[in-house]
Amino acid sequence: MLPSARLPIAGERKGSRWDQARLVTPIGVIVVVAILCVIVAVLTSARRADEVAFNTEQQLMVQSIDEHGLHAMHLVEGVAATPSATARIRTDYDPQWADQRIGQWLAKFHFDVAMIVDGADRVEYRYPAANLGERDLSAEVAPIIALLRGRLNAMPAQAVALIEGQDPAKPGRSAVLVQNFFGQPAYVAAVAVGSDTDLAHGNDSAPIVLAVKYIGARLLDKIGSRLQLASLRAIAKPSAKADGNHSLDLTDVQGGMVARFSWKPTRPGGAIVASVAPFIAVALAGFALFVVLGIRYMRRTAEEIATGERQLRHLALHDPVCGLPNRIYFGERLEQTINNVRGGGLSAAVFYIDLDHFKDVNDTLGHHIGDELILNVTQRLSRIMRGDDLVARLGGDEFAIITTCASDSYSLQAIAGRIIAAVCAPYAISGHNIIIGASIGIAAIDRRVGDAADILRYADMALYRAKNEGRNRACIYDAAMDADLSNRKLLEGDLLQAIKNDGLRAAYQPIVNAAGDTVVGVEALARWTHPTHGEIPPSRFIPIAEHSGLIIELGEWMLRRACLDGRNWPNLAISVNVSPLQFRRSDFVEVVERILTETDFDANRLELELTESTLLGNLETAELSMLRLKAIGVRFALDDFGTGYSSLLYLRRFPFDKLKIDSSFVRSIEKAPDAAAIVHAVVSLGRGLGMKVTAEGVETAEQHLFLRAAGVHSMQGFRFGKPGTAGEIDHRLASPDDYRVGSPDQEVALAS
Ligand code: C2E
Ligand code: MG
Ligand code: MG
């Protein structure tokens, strides 16, 4: 009864949307990495561009410093390395000429200092810059004079010689240095005066023209604008920091700092970054949007999945019609409850409820009314049970309740009584008054109990017992039922053998006219004498046959037997009971026709007894089968009228020829005035619909009298004869006087 495997309650349909959601994460990571790579690449190339630009600027700067220095030297050569300079300075010093053609001339080219020293390094002429006043310049010019005169072994310290490859041993006619001149970087150019012959052996005693040009703001502006270096300047203190600007250090041969120039870096990398930045910004914004949308999508998808899972789980665990937990949920809860009880928790019980006549409602009034009825039952059950009890719907008309309660039979029956009272109270649904019943099987859960499957089996057995004992009642499982079940199983096997081996018998109960003096028919009733258990009543073996499907073979056997025996009683109608399972078979009509042919029995004498439950299901097919058999002369009786759903629908819709009032009514005639009234009503109803009415179970003269007066056409009961063998019927037909009953009028009068 328990599901062998759990349904995929959660997580199974995580499906493609979840996968899509999970795709967002790797895509996001890839995009982030890609953007980071682009940023790093841009920054690296920007830095590289800055480095390249800086190197280039430095080179250009060095070149420019060189060019300007050499240019200055050439300017000095232009005035000092001439024959007139040799004549006016070396041969015969002309101070006026020197002032005009050296000092003032060089001043025009923005030299700050012009000097002439004689062969012994004495200053002959000086055109100083105004700011130097009368200061002694000899220390400042000493290095270049020493260089030019060839007194040095190496290039002078604290100065940078600009002539490439100049040999201090053979310095040549000219030299130019960059050096500090009273604290400021300056070009100091010196040219020896004399003809080539004069200087052929060196400049030892040659007069020298010296010129100094500060590498100051004006010159640096010029260089800066040519090289496009902004804020190019000489840093006064070379040790000072270049405060973020680029700088170029001029160093002497020993690496000592001579001058430092700084300028504002162009930083093309910045421009690159600036030009790429908007695109990166757009990409980042796009990515941010992607992430936001992705997260939103993931969150929404996750919510949808969670909702879907909840719904799936709910669907998997609940009944779609009434919303109650279904069999699976019930099974899980039952296991929990059993574990609780075993663990020392309160004892509990399962109430297995089967609605009586629910199928009738469904079949006669339609499924929508059936569903509505289930909802009503659900509400009633939920209302009478406690909040922590579990009310579940296990199937069509099966409900089950798990409740914690005392396990004594008094408490269990009290709860069952409440359930039956609730379920059996009338329902008003869509203008229909509906009454149904409830049979309940109860299985108590205590510490010694087995597993969930055992409990359900117990409850099921108890339910079977409740139904068999007449429905609308509850039975509590006890160990004897297990034996009952195995007995049933054994009987089932024996019954099969009995059917196969002609081990059944047919008994015939006479049906008499209203006066009770003439047998008008017989009802064939199955009898089974078990080889070891003896006589088994139909009330025991018919349900077993119906439960196992053996009723098909049993029914056919009985019909054939009755037809064969019935041939001996040409004036009697033969009634044969037909079970629902038999009647609903698609070949039922053919089976009856075949047996009639095989036994050569007159169809007009055959009466089939159906109960209301036989007709349930497909009303059209049932009606058609009846009509087909009626067409060949077979008649139909509605058996046990008053015990089933007792719907007028059956009487009106189906072509019954006879109505058999159930013995329970007949039995109550004398006790309950209502029953008498009902019998009257049923008789007039049957008559009104053109049917014959037979009363069953007539035992007493009072009943006989009452029924005859009520207008019943025929009667059946112990008063007129118990079911007997075919031989007894033969005997009775042959000598009717032996069986005659007295007039009920006289008997009743005598008794009173
Ligand atoms: P039923 O068709 O209503 O048959 C009438 C039952 O009432 C018979 O019980 C009969 O013995 C019993 N009966 C008749 N008169 C009296 C009376 O005055 N007092 C009392 N107390 N009982 C009386 P039986 O033979 O035990 O059969 C019980 C039921 O089993 C039948 O009820 C019928 O529904 C079913 N049945 C019997 N034979 C067959 C059969 O061959 N096929 C099918 N499908 N059902 C059968
Ligand atoms: Mg019957
Ligand atoms: Mg009956």
Side-chain angles (χ1 to χ4, degrees):
M1 291 212 118
L2 271 182
S4 56
R6 290 169 69 130
L7 275 189
I9 289 165
E12 192 140 288
R13 208 204 66 80
K14 281 197 171 169
S16 57
R17 282 179 74 81
W18 179 242
D19 294 342
Q20 283 170 23
R22 285 196 304 189
L23 260 184
V24 174
T25 314
I27 291 175
V29 170
I30 290 169
V31 172
V32 169
V33 169
I35 288 179
L36 284 178
C37 286
V38 169
I39 291 174
V40 169
V42 167
L43 291 178
T44 310
S45 47
R47 217 181 53 212
R48 185 85 195 103
D50 284 351
E51 280 170 16
V52 169
F54 174 59
N55 288 338
T56 311
E57 285 165 5
Q58 268 191 332
Q59 275 173 15
L60 289 173
M61 204 37 210
V62 167
Q63 211 176 328
S64 234
I65 296 280
D66 281 4
E67 277 171 8
H68 277 87
L70 291 171
H71 180 65
M73 189 189 77
H74 292 315
L75 281 174
V76 179
E77 279 175 345
V79 293
T82 58
S84 37
T86 307
R88 302 289 182 109
I89 297 172
R90 184 173 181 130
T91 314
D92 190 9
Y93 179 67
D94 180 350
Q96 209 177 343
W97 184 90
D99 183 45
Q100 267 180 12
R101 302 306 293 270
I102 303 287
Q104 291 182 31
W105 178 259
L106 288 177
K108 281 185 195 160
F109 291 95
H110 307 293
F111 280 88
D112 297 286
V113 176
M115 273 176 81
I116 300 172
V117 295
D118 64 9
D121 297 349
R122 284 186 302 264
V123 177
E124 278 187 322
Y125 173 77
R126 171 176 162 175
Y127 177 90
N131 63 339
L132 292 177
E134 292 303 315
R135 288 173 77 173
D136 183 8
L137 307 183
S138 50
E140 304 296 313
V141 294
I144 196 159
I145 291 174
L147 172 66
L148 207 59
R149 294 215 189 280
R151 289 182 207 141
L152 300 178
N153 301 326
M155 283 304 183
Q158 297 296 311
V160 182
L162 298 186
I163 296 175
E164 219 175 305
Q166 194 165 37
D167 181 359
K170 289 180 190 164
R173 178 194 279 266
S174 313
V176 60
L177 298 177
V178 175
Q179 67 170 69
N180 269 299
F181 204 83
F182 292 107
Q184 274 190 62
Y187 292 118
V188 179
V191 177
V193 181
S195 65
D196 290 346
T197 327
D198 296 337
L199 301 175
H201 301 290
N203 308 325
D204 259 1
S205 53
I208 295 173
V209 174
L210 294 138
V212 177
K213 186 184 264 189
Y214 282 117
I215 307 176
R218 206 182 60 84
L219 180 61
L220 290 175
D221 279 353
K222 205 169 143 194
I223 295 175
S225 69
R226 193 156 68 84
L227 300 184
Q228 297 194 332
L229 301 179
S231 313
L232 178 62
R233 62 195 170 89
I235 290 178
K237 277 194 209 156
S239 57
K241 277 227 152 195
D243 58 16
N245 285 348
H246 281 169
S247 62
L248 171 69
D249 292 341
L250 296 184
T251 51
D252 63 13
V253 280
Q254 284 141 18
M257 174 88 72
V258 177
R260 169 173 283 173
F261 302 98
S262 91
W263 63 93
K264 226 178 176 168
T266 34
R267 294 199 196 283
I272 293 174
V273 171
S275 62
V276 176
F279 297 103
I280 293 183
V282 169
L284 279 175
F287 173 67
L289 192 67
F290 172 81
V291 168
V292 169
L293 291 178
I295 289 173
R296 262 181 52 186
Y297 173 79
M298 281 201 291
R299 199 182 304 143
R300 208 176 306 147
T301 308
E303 274 167 17
E304 279 174 20
I305 290 169
T307 314
E309 278 174 359
R310 274 197 300 278
Q311 284 171 348
L312 255 184
R313 185 167 167 80
H314 189 87
L315 276 180
L317 296 179
H318 290 82
D319 183 85
V321 172
C322 62
L324 282 182
N326 63 11
R327 189 179 283 275
I328 299 167
Y329 193 146
F330 175 80
E332 287 178 4
R333 181 67 172 272
L334 182 55
E335 270 168 20
Q336 270 176 24
T337 309
I338 291 171
N339 288 338
N340 279 351
V341 173
R342 280 188 192 145
L346 291 174
S347 62
V350 167
F351 290 76
Y352 198 167
I353 307 163
D354 187 281
L355 303 184
D356 297 329
H357 310 307
F358 170 70
K359 284 201 178 66
D360 308 10
V361 174
N362 231 359
D363 293 330
T364 54
L365 301 177
H367 286 274
H368 59 292
I369 302 280
D371 288 352
E372 196 62 27
L373 179 59
I374 289 293
L375 275 175
N376 275 269
V377 171
T378 299
Q379 282 165 5
R380 290 185 185 181
L381 289 177
S382 305
R383 217 173 293 142
I384 59 165
M385 299 316 290
R386 289 191 309 252
D388 54 348
D389 294 336
L390 181 89
V391 181
R393 185 184 181 201
L394 305 189
D397 58 355
E398 290 174 24
F399 288 80
I401 293 174
I402 302 175
T403 176
T404 46
C405 58
S407 56
D408 62 287
S409 64
Y410 179 79
S411 311
L412 295 175
Q413 284 292 1
I415 296 172
R418 283 209 325 264
I419 296 172
I420 291 174
V423 173
C424 297
Y427 298 83
I429 298 170
S430 304
H432 299 278
N433 279 321
I434 298 172
I435 297 178
I436 54 171
S439 305
I440 302 180
I442 307 170
I445 304 172
D446 55 30
R447 286 184 199 180
R448 289 154 298 149
V449 88
D451 59 9
D454 286 339
I455 290 289
L456 280 175
R457 200 163 49 82
Y458 298 163
D460 194 34
M461 276 191 263
L463 176 64
Y464 182 87
R465 171 72 61 86
K467 281 187 186 173
N468 257 19
E469 286 186 356
R471 299 173 181 261
N472 264 355
R473 69 191 62 218
C475 282
I476 302 170
Y477 167 81
D478 60 56
M481 285 183 194
D482 261 333
D484 189 54
L485 180 72
S486 46
N487 279 344
R488 254 178 27 224
K489 287 280 163 210
L490 287 175
L491 275 186
E492 203 178 294
D494 295 344
L495 183 61
L496 177 66
Q497 292 308 316
I499 295 169
K500 276 190 183 159
N501 306 327
D502 256 359
L504 293 183
R505 284 175 293 113
Y508 297 96
Q509 182 173 33
I511 299 172
V512 298
N513 64 358
D517 51 14
T518 313
V519 177
V520 293
V522 287
E523 177 175 2
L525 295 161
R527 292 290 177 263
W528 179 28
T529 311
H530 190 275
T532 49
H533 302 308
E535 205 60 37
I536 313 248
S539 57
R540 178 123 176 85
F541 71 81
I542 293 291
I544 292 175
E546 276 175 339
H547 209 250
S548 60
L550 286 174
I551 193 76
I552 307 284
E553 286 90 341
L554 186 148
E556 279 187 34
W557 186 89
M558 278 296 290
L559 182 59
R560 182 174 286 106
R561 188 72 259 152
C563 289
L564 288 172
D565 291 340
R567 285 194 306 192
N568 298 331
W569 315 313
N571 299 320
L572 299 190
I574 310 291
S575 300
V576 179
N577 292 289
V578 174
S579 95
L581 211 60
Q582 238 183 314
F583 183 73
R584 287 191 199 134
R585 297 249 318 184
S586 54
D587 62 348
F588 175 69
V589 174
E590 284 76 22
V591 169
V592 175
E593 283 172 344
R594 181 163 43 81
I595 291 175
L596 284 172
T597 315
E598 279 170 13
T599 55
D600 193 22
F601 187 77
D602 178 7
N604 290 302
R605 287 205 292 124
L606 179 64
E607 188 171 84
L608 298 179
E609 294 193 1
L610 310 181
T611 55
E612 284 165 306
S613 57
T614 313
L615 301 164
L616 302 176
N618 191 339
L619 302 188
E620 277 73 30
T621 322
E623 189 180 12
L624 203 69
S625 302
M626 285 177 77
L627 288 173
R628 281 176 62 195
L629 286 169
K630 275 179 77 76
I632 58 167
V634 176
R635 276 169 294 143
F636 284 92
L638 182 57
D639 201 0
D640 303 342
F641 187 76
T643 58
Y645 189 50
S646 305
S647 166
L648 268 182
L649 180 115
Y650 298 107
L651 292 179
R652 287 233 307 275
R653 167 147 196 178
F654 296 100
F656 282 109
D657 303 278
K658 189 191 261 186
L659 192 65
K660 290 185 85 171
I661 301 175
D662 189 67
S663 53
S664 55
F665 280 105
V666 174
R667 226 175 290 133
S668 346
I669 288 171
E670 295 143 301
K671 299 169 207 150
D674 292 5
I678 290 172
V679 170
H680 261 295
V682 170
V683 174
S684 10
L685 180 71
R687 280 181 166 272
L689 289 169
M691 297 178 190
K692 298 271 186 271
V693 179
T694 301
E696 294 188 278
V698 184
E699 291 183 353
T700 64
E702 284 84 354
Q703 291 164 350
H704 182 188
L705 188 64
F706 176 89
L707 291 163
R708 195 184 62 182
V712 166
H713 297 95
S714 50
M715 288 177 225
Q716 178 183 356
F718 294 168
R719 175 170 169 80
F720 311 106
K722 293 194 170 178
T725 59
E728 282 167 9
I729 298 296
D730 290 337
H731 187 264
R732 180 166 184 156
L733 291 178
S735 24
D737 290 342
D738 294 357
Y739 297 87
R740 200 172 302 281
V741 289
S743 163
D745 315 78
Q746 289 167 355
E747 281 180 51
V748 172
L750 274 174
S752 56

